[in-house]
Amino acid sequence: MRTVGVVSESKDVVEIASPRGVVAGIVPSTNPTSTAIFKVLIAIKSRNAIVLSPHPSAARCIYETVRVMREAGIKEGLPADAVVCMTTATIEGTEALMKHKQTAVILATGGIGLVRAAYSSGKPAFGVGPGNVPVFIERTADVPKAVQDILTGKTFDNGTICASEQAVVCDAPIEKAVRDQFKAQGGHFLSSAEADQLAKVVATPQRSLNPGIVGKSVEVIAKLAGLNVPAGTRCLMVDVAGVGREFPLSMEKLSPILAFYVVDGLTRGAERCYEILRYGGMGHTAGVHTRSREAAVRFGAEMPASRITVNTPTTHGAIGFSTALPPSMTLGCGSWGGNVTSDNVSPLHLLDIKRVAFEVRPVKSKRPAVSASTATTPAPSPAYAATATPAQPQAVAGANAGKINREDIAAIVDRFLAGRQPEQPESEARQARQQPTGAASEVEVEAGSMYAGPGESRRQQESRPSGNGGRSAGADASRSSSAASSGSTTHSANGNKTVDFVSEDDVRRAIQKGEKIYINAKTIITPAARDIGEPAEIFAKG
């Protein structure tokens, strides 16, 4: 896994990794050392610093774990302050860490309240939910291996991994074989009376999990419940009639205790597993043991779970040890569990990715681009323009044949403006056609400009110098008016011609000529034209 520099590259997109900054790592009491190790590893792998906040009941072992990792990192060149653990574990300290201005992202593993606090801190957060994991043994399963896998996952670290099996749902045709295998491999089925005794120890009066049994061995739990169990018992098995508050052993138990259900068929098995997930495990993990790939996929499609492991311990499969899932000790539960992701959180989640994207589909524009030669060629002198032959514009047009040019665009705009304005009297139009052209301007006339009439070509016309310093009589006459075209002007009460539309080029030409642009309440002025014209006091009320 690459986490530095270019991490992915194709012809069209180049992805560049960037660290986020300081990671706030919240570590629980249920599997404190493994979670602390994992959070430190993915933070450093993604080039982030990390500050860990330990659970008060596991503060000493978390602090020692971080110390060992920090010292090992320093020997390899890690900055001394890249890995830090809070020495005083308090709720107030954790909240302050999550809300600190230098905290870039939060990795929150813990109870629902803590995860909600992380999400409400105002910082990006990856929180994880509880896992009340059901596993279905379908009738085609390899029963001895299925039972072995379930007990392996359940007894690992005394069942404290949130992805460990919490309930077995058995297909009816193989019930006897499954029970016999559990007994043979260290499972002990309790009677109804013994189950009631155990339930009083597992659940509090409020029907929440008793933290006193979390991670404890079978012997300790049996003693707390006043039960006698055979020596060598690996897991307590309890037949449970339903799911919910009335059945306390149907909850997530985080200890070597398994609820046991019997159903008939894949459909009923999926329904029962769905009920178990709804009671405290939404979005986390489910498991299935079957020889049918089709059955596994059908089962998975029905589960509100982010990970559905097949023919493997859910503990090891969900964290990516026995499956091809990304290795992780922080398992997202998606929107089912109120989490931002359903992924196995990895170093990639602690990176910002910059994407350099190249054009693959050109965007058509109504205005053609100006070629490099046009942009860099200086404007011809008036003397040269006076002697230029009329054939030159045609040659240029011929060279650009097949391209959309400014004349075409101007003609379209003229037709639009002419269609929405009152027609000009013929006498006034004749007078406008006879009006001499002013001196050439360095600002190109734009389509829709107040300086270009609908019947005129938009090509720049250069006039010969005259006795008044190069300015024609027409230009002098237009000094007191807007020189607007007949198709886009109206007469005001004071005799000045007001224009309907003003562009940036119109303002620049008016500034160069020392003219005013007469406007009224209906005049449309582009933002760029207004920004330039108002400070120069170009606009006047017509």
Side-chain angles (χ1 to χ4, degrees), residues 164-184:
S164 64
E165 294 87 342
Q166 302 295 324
V168 176
V169 180
C170 179
D171 207 348
I174 58 173
E175 176 188 356
K176 184 178 184 307
V178 170
R179 287 183 183 272
D180 289 344
Q181 280 295 321
F182 270 113
K183 293 174 183 177

Side-chain angles (χ1 to χ4, degrees), residues 57 77 94-95 160 193 197 240 259 274 278 364 387 447 459 494 499:
S57 63
T94 299
E95 291 180 349
T160 55
Q197 289 179 250
V240 181
Y274 189 99
R278 283 182 60 88
K364 294 182 179 180
T387 60
R459 295 191 186 94
N494 60 13
V499 295

Side-chain angles (χ1 to χ4, degrees), residues 51 72 100 109 112 121 137 179 196 226 245 253 255-256 265 274 286 313 346 372 375 477 484 488 503 525 529 531 541:
V51 179
H100 196 279
T109 305
I112 294 176
S121 67
I137 308 178
R179 287 183 183 272
D196 290 341
R245 288 178 58 84
K253 294 165 283 293
S255 55
Y274 189 99
S346 73
S488 60
S503 70
I525 306 173
D531 290 343
K541 295 294 183 180

Side-chain angles (χ1 to χ4, degrees), residues 470-486:
R471 187 179 302 278
S472 68
D476 292 333
S478 66
R479 184 183 301 275
S480 60
S481 69
S482 67
S485 68
S486 60

Side-chain angles (χ1 to χ4, degrees), residues 48 66 187 354 498:
N48 294 289
V66 173
K354 298 179 282 190
T498 60

